[in-house]
Amino acid sequence: MEIVESILDIPVQDPPEEEFSSADLIWTKFGTAEHHDDVALIPYARVDEFIIGECSNVECPTRFHIERGRKRSMGSLKEYKSDEYLEYRLYWCSFGPENYGEGGGVLPSRRYRLNTRNRAARPQSMRGCTCHFVVKRLYAHPTLALIIFNERRHINKSGFVCHGPLDKDAIGPGAKKIPYISSEIQQQTMSMIYLGIPEENVLEKHIEYVQRYCGSDATASTLASQYVRKLGMIIKRSTHELDLDDQASIRMWVERNKKSIFFYQDTSETDPFILGIQTEWQLQQMVRFGHRSLIAADSTFGIKRLKYPLCTLLVFDSRQHALPVAWVITRSVAKPDVAKWMKALLDRARSVDPGWKINGFVIDDAAMEIDPIRDAFCCPILFSIWRVRGSWLRNVVKKCSNIEVQREIFKRLGEIVYSIWGGLDTSVALEELILDFVDQSAFMEYFKSTWVPKIEMWLSTIKTFPLASQEASGAIEAYHVKLKTKLFDDSHLGALQRVDWKNTLHLHLGTERCKFRIPLLH
Ligand SMILES: [Zn+2]
């Protein structure tokens, strides 16, 4: 076959199918007589569809993760070859590359386990798959992508098909004994553990997922429960306590948990204390579910009761559950401080995936500084009214005994919020509300002290930003409530000694102390 030496001589292929794979493309040998690769040229806009198609290989269904990524900016090169990259990504079959099986060398583990839409969490077992390819967005033609296939077959170093129905080891009596735990199930099970759901419930759900694949089978259930228990144990053994009262112990903790800290600023005369925590697993989830999607901040947890309030950053997983992907502990909401940790968080995601970006940032506090978000993430900001709504609803129910009155007050509050789009005078509406329900003194006291002084700010925020969807708001609220319930349960029972939470996030409530417990999975 002829060897092509210039990209310009390779035709651009744009298959009509919605998703396509290497089998749908014609491959050209590109390079020199001594060294050449199989390449194909496609529109850059269709790279995702190619990867989806490549994952749906009937003989070896898989996912591909980014093993390496590089990027350079436009204009940074004066001279360049026709195949020079603007963006470079090496995709590897997620059944590899570690564990080459008998006789094969073992590659060192990479620093991060990567995920995006098409890059699943690593499969349960590494099978040493060598299938991999490179996608280069061309420097000279950014609308084109050059795909370089280094190994198209899903084989290990010994040359055997190493996963899928054709894998010899996956056929036969042994294979039936092992329930196939897909990456999706793993992700969901880990999410539940991160959300602090008790182990019994995690197990129940996990078995339910597994049975969907394997049918109901006693062995499968036993193995599944062992798996969940093992995860629980790993988490238990690897949790660390952080006592925020003691500067020295914080420094030690930070030193010991470097891998899970994306930002740390010690208290000094000029700077306040800031601690940003993100485990590698959380980083993966942020990269995977945050990319071209939303990030939300549950920003005011413990603002009244904790010495150091906790801000949680959330992404929404495939079931639209809010997943905590980073925690920031600090009292400072000043612009320069927020800007520092946001930038650090973004840099961390970009170190894994240089093209990582989000489509929107959801805030839930009208007092939140907007500029740092805009500067770091360069994306639209959405506002979630769950806190306003939740606080009003809770207090109406708690402070007014008559159901009719409750309903009426809540309705009127809603009208005030919606009036901002109708051009009504909110201050008049507020005055009327206060007059009409003057006999509801308990509620009015709460409303006047908590909301009247800042209602202008809240309403103007609601008016300025698009509102987050009800699903997103519901998910943020559910996370917040779960966190709170856990803390109250714990604090009532003398939390310090209770390690049997099996939960991951553990804040010790109280005005002076804040205990933080996170899982550190490596
Ligand atoms: Zn493979």
Side-chain angles (χ1 to χ4, degrees):
M1 198 181 171
E2 188 195 353
I3 295 167
V4 177
E5 289 185 5
S6 167
I7 294 284
L8 300 171
D9 298 330
I10 302 172
V12 178
Q13 300 178 68
D14 194 358
E17 298 88 353
E18 196 183 328
E19 286 159 12
F20 61 101
S21 70
S22 56
D24 302 312
L25 297 170
I26 297 160
W27 294 86
T28 308
K29 299 222 175 289
F30 170 69
T32 59
E34 296 80 47
H35 178 81
H36 49 263
D37 298 305
D38 284 349
V39 306
L41 211 49
I42 63 166
Y44 177 74
R46 301 208 60 197
V47 167
D48 277 355
E49 286 148 31
F50 168 74
I51 293 166
I52 293 170
E54 203 56 29
C55 290
S56 333
N57 183 329
V58 190
E59 284 169 7
C60 297
T62 184
R63 303 285 175 98
F64 284 87
H65 60 264
I66 299 182
E67 179 73 10
R68 254 200 307 278
R70 276 183 227 126
K71 206 176 180 181
R72 56 168 61 103
S73 48
M74 248 335 195
S76 59
L77 295 180
K78 294 231 158 44
E79 281 173 40
Y80 43 87
K81 289 186 290 181
S82 63
D83 66 330
E84 202 59 72
Y85 68 86
L86 186 63
E87 277 170 46
Y88 168 100
R89 283 177 177 177
L90 169 61
Y91 287 88
W92 206 291
C93 169
S94 291
F95 286 95
E98 281 106 335
N99 176 15
Y100 281 114
E102 253 173 87
V106 174
L107 282 184
S109 289
R110 51 181 158 274
R111 262 179 76 216
Y112 298 107
R113 294 173 172 190
L114 310 179
N115 285 290
T116 66
R117 194 152 61 98
N118 300 311
R119 310 161 216 160
R122 311 296 303 277
Q124 178 72 348
S125 55
M126 295 294 99
R127 290 184 167 268
C129 188
T130 56
C131 179
H132 64 288
F133 58 89
V134 165
V135 175
K136 274 188 192 179
R137 184 177 193 175
L138 294 176
Y139 189 85
H141 306 277
T143 56
L144 296 181
L146 181 71
I147 303 171
I148 307 166
F149 240 113
N150 303 97
E151 178 53 69
R152 239 187 291 176
R153 296 163 303 167
H154 291 270
I155 55 172
N156 58 20
K157 266 197 171 165
S158 319
F160 295 114
V161 173
C162 55
H163 57 93
L166 297 182
D167 174 11
K168 268 200 307 191
D169 296 335
I171 305 173
K176 281 197 184 129
K177 285 195 202 129
I178 312 291
Y180 174 61
I181 301 174
S182 74
S183 50
E184 198 65 14
I185 297 180
Q186 274 188 71
Q187 189 273 327
Q188 290 177 2
T189 301
M190 282 289 286
S191 301
M192 285 191 282
I193 294 178
Y194 261 79
L195 287 171
I197 292 167
E199 197 178 287
E200 308 86 76
N201 303 6
V202 175
L203 180 60
E204 197 180 303
K205 271 276 160 219
H206 180 79
I207 289 180
E208 209 179 292
Y209 293 141
V210 171
Q211 284 177 349
R212 253 181 245 161
Y213 285 86
C214 307
S216 129
D217 165 3
T219 328
S221 301
T222 314
L223 284 167
S225 68
Q226 279 169 8
Y227 173 75
V228 171
R229 221 156 278 147
K230 202 173 87 191
L231 274 185
M233 292 254 285
I234 295 172
I235 286 173
K236 220 166 161 184
R237 264 194 240 126
S238 60
T239 47
H240 295 252
E241 272 186 12
L242 167 64
D243 189 338
L244 291 177
D245 265 355
D246 174 6
Q247 290 291 330
S249 94
I250 293 171
R251 258 172 243 136
M252 251 166 65
W253 191 91
V254 166
E255 193 55 40
R256 249 188 268 136
N257 296 287
K258 259 188 187 148
K259 269 193 187 163
S260 305
I261 288 163
F262 70 90
F263 187 78
Y264 173 58
Q265 178 173 285
D266 208 347
T267 322
S268 70
E269 272 176 23
T270 47
D271 293 317
F273 172 78
I274 305 173
L275 180 60
I277 298 172
Q278 182 180 54
T279 66
E280 288 192 31
W281 187 82
Q282 288 180 305
L283 172 62
Q284 287 173 40
Q285 307 312 310
M286 184 171 89
V287 170
R288 176 178 182 189
F289 293 116
H291 185 54
R292 294 194 187 147
S293 187
L294 296 177
I295 284 202
D298 173 18
S299 57
T300 56
F301 191 85
I303 209 156
K304 284 194 206 123
R305 315 183 59 151
L306 295 178
K307 183 173 171 190
Y308 293 100
L310 173 74
C311 172
T312 310
L313 295 182
L314 302 160
V315 294
F316 303 96
D317 72 7
S318 44
R319 294 165 305 153
Q320 289 304 308
H321 287 183
L323 205 59
V325 290
W327 292 295
V328 181
I329 304 174
T330 183
R331 237 175 318 185
S332 171
V333 289
K335 254 184 223 181
D337 291 323
V338 178
K340 274 187 243 173
W341 66 254
M342 278 198 177
K343 170 96 181 24
L345 189 68
L346 181 71
D347 288 347
R348 199 169 195 228
R350 293 259 166 94
S351 72
V352 173
D353 181 355
W356 189 80
K357 70 186 287 269
I358 57 170
N359 283 354
F361 195 104
V362 182
I363 57 168
D364 65 350
D365 183 3
M368 184 133 179
E369 289 288 356
I370 303 303
D371 294 347
I373 305 175
R374 287 216 171 110
D375 294 347
F377 293 100
C378 308
C379 69
I381 289 164
L382 292 91
F383 188 72
S384 167
I385 54 170
W386 76 267
R387 285 190 56 226
V388 196
R389 210 182 160 275
S391 172
W392 287 352
L393 187 60
R394 238 183 359 265
N395 282 283
V396 166
V397 171
K398 205 163 81 190
K399 298 192 161 80
C400 311
S401 47
N402 185 311
I403 291 183
E404 286 300 311
V405 175
Q406 289 177 359
R407 203 173 289 156
E408 190 55 30
I409 294 187
F410 199 62
K411 203 178 109 198
R412 290 277 293 275
L413 287 166
E415 281 168 10
I416 291 175
V417 170
Y418 286 99
S419 75
I420 58 175
W421 291 287
L424 280 178
D425 190 339
T426 28
S427 55
V428 175
L430 270 177
E431 240 164 73
E432 280 174 8
L433 175 87
I434 292 168
L435 282 177
D436 289 353
F437 297 98
V438 73
D439 53 333
Q440 301 296 321
S441 51
F443 179 77
M444 278 308 152
E445 207 171 289
Y446 148 82
F447 191 71
K448 277 189 204 156
S449 65
T450 313
W451 290 99
V452 169
K454 56 184 184 189
I455 197 128
E456 289 285 325
M457 176 179 79
W458 279 83
L459 292 179
S460 102
T461 305
I462 295 172
K463 202 174 171 181
T464 312
F465 299 109
L467 293 187
S469 71
Q470 274 184 18
E471 289 79 19
S473 295
I476 303 170
E477 183 169 13
Y479 169 78
H480 187 92
V481 169
K482 225 173 273 166
L483 192 60
K484 204 165 164 182
T485 321
K486 219 179 339 171
L487 290 178
F488 281 128
D489 278 5
D490 245 18
S491 58
H492 285 171
L493 294 164
L496 275 173
Q497 270 68 47
R498 277 173 50 93
V499 197
D500 58 328
W501 251 114
K502 285 121 190 165
N503 289 325
T504 49
L505 177 67
H506 174 121
L507 280 163
H508 179 62
L509 255 196
T511 45
E512 287 308 312
R513 293 168 75 79
C514 170
K515 284 249 166 194
F516 203 77
R517 191 176 272 284
I518 59 161
L520 298 169
L521 292 173
H522 304 300

